[in-house]
Amino acid sequence: MTRKRRPAPEPEEEPDDEPEAPVEGSHGAGVLTLAVLGAGAAAGVYAASPEAGVLSLWAVGTGSLWWSCKRRRMSDSSAPPPPPPARPSCRECAGHRLLGVAPLESQKGMLIYKSAPPDRPNHTHIHLAKDVNAA
């Protein structure tokens, strides 16, 4: 019994319309290239005039320091977390509309809940409760 030979698959040609993948280089090569170009420029300015070379290096250093400081943003990590949306569970507060929640400054871990009863719109009910998230 003879086996049939399968034809060899033909290599597919890539269409010319598609852009080629970008060549990935190392970051070290880019940094080295910029350092060499910067050193060449500084050497050229310093060769023309030593005073201009020193002043230009100071200007570039000051500008890069200002640019790096400008890019940094203050984090919000120092801000206190918002109070939990949970309400205190007591019979007095049942059915009240929650007006606001604020931390009690004199005692850590305590929250002040302000609510309004539905039958007395001009009355504010204040409830102090321990914060369940406080450590």
Side-chain angles (χ1 to χ4, degrees):
M1 199 158 133
T2 61
R3 287 187 169 175
K4 291 184 180 179
R5 285 187 145 191
R6 291 184 186 172
E10 296 178 17
E12 295 180 17
E13 294 182 17
E14 294 182 9
D16 293 335
D17 297 341
E18 293 182 17
E20 294 182 14
V23 176
E24 293 184 22
S26 73
H27 293 289
V31 170
L32 183 62
T33 303
L34 286 176
V36 168
L37 289 174
V45 172
Y46 190 78
S49 170
E51 293 84 10
V54 171
L55 287 176
S56 65
L57 286 178
W58 271 98
V60 167
T62 304
S64 62
L65 180 64
W66 176 78
W67 180 69
S68 69
C69 291
K70 183 181 79 165
R71 290 183 50 200
R72 295 185 188 265
R73 299 280 181 218
M74 291 294 290
S75 69
D76 291 338
S77 63
S78 62
R87 300 173 58 144
S89 58
C90 73
R91 283 182 275 166
E92 293 180 23
C93 298
H96 289 196
R97 181 174 49 98
L98 186 64
L99 298 176
V101 180
L104 184 61
E105 292 180 8
S106 61
Q107 280 190 317
K108 187 176 182 179
M110 297 290 287
L111 296 175
I112 303 171
Y113 290 88
K114 295 179 185 176
S115 61
D119 55 343
R120 298 170 65 191
N122 295 333
H123 178 75
T124 302
H125 176 74
I126 296 176
H127 186 100
L128 299 175
K130 259 193 169 183
D131 185 11
V132 293
N133 296 332

